[in-house]
Amino acid sequence: MKNSILIALPLLACIILSPVSKADIAQGSTNHAIKMSSFNLSSQKWKNRVLLVFAPSIDNHTYQQQMQLLQEHNSGFADRDLVLVQVLATDESYANRQPIDESSAAKLRDRFGVDKGNFRVILVGKDGGVKRSDATPVQATAIFKEIDAMPMRQQEMQKRGRK
């Protein structure tokens, strides 16, 4: 049973954390059954770290580069309690592949001062503070290195029996 869970968890993380593709959005736009939900950053406090990716649209070249860099490291997201939130100005926005409403996206843009036409990657720690902000695509390994250096993450790794 333990082996089944160990195999299923990374697969589940890949499904949940894989970035949304253009096909996903096109499919979703024709299916009106998809329910938009609100996303409140404060509800993540002390539970999850949040990686916000702001972009004008899914067609934005910089956004596509960023998603490619992240897609290769899905298991690292789950291990670090990291939620991916894609805030897109002209398309639907997503939190872990679940559509979020425009009001939630607008609040995130306002809170972090990111205009609809700009690209930005912002890492928010479990304490709710901004840990890094990048105006260009960033390697997932650089984000993970930053997280792994945080005192709270060090404690998490010790609790899980890792060095």
Side-chain angles (χ1 to χ4, degrees), residues 31-161:
N31 181 358
H32 297 292
I34 292 179
K35 182 181 183 276
M36 296 276 199
S37 60
S38 62
F39 178 80
N40 186 344
L41 194 59
S42 63
S43 69
Q44 301 298 310
K45 198 170 184 177
W46 305 118
K47 288 190 255 179
N48 294 304
R49 295 171 184 91
V50 179
L51 184 66
L52 298 156
V53 178
F54 294 90
S57 74
I58 59 169
D59 295 324
N60 179 269
H61 179 68
T62 310
Y63 170 77
Q64 291 175 356
Q65 285 179 313
Q66 183 63 66
M67 291 300 99
Q68 184 64 37
L69 292 171
L70 297 178
Q71 194 167 22
E72 298 166 1
H73 299 278
N74 288 326
S75 63
F77 275 72
D79 190 45
R80 291 168 180 83
D81 301 325
L82 187 58
V83 172
L84 175 62
V85 179
Q86 298 151 281
V87 184
L88 304 169
T90 59
D91 305 302
E92 294 176 356
S93 296
Y94 296 86
N96 277 351
R97 292 185 55 104
Q98 299 302 312
I100 60 173
D101 59 32
E102 178 54 34
S103 172
S104 297
K107 286 177 187 171
L108 289 168
R109 275 191 226 96
D110 289 344
R111 177 170 178 180
F112 295 101
V114 180
D115 292 331
K116 283 187 172 189
N118 292 342
F119 174 85
R120 183 76 40 101
V121 177
I122 297 174
L123 174 62
V124 178
K126 285 187 175 183
D127 64 356
V130 173
K131 305 304 178 188
R132 87 177 278 154
S133 178
D134 297 276
T136 58
V138 59
Q139 295 281 344
T141 52
I143 294 166
F144 295 164
K145 185 177 179 181
E146 184 110 11
I147 291 170
D148 292 346
M150 295 174 184
M152 190 177 296
R153 173 68 176 147
Q154 293 287 315
Q155 291 172 356
E156 291 167 1
M157 289 189 294
Q158 285 177 346
K159 283 181 184 175
R160 294 176 185 168

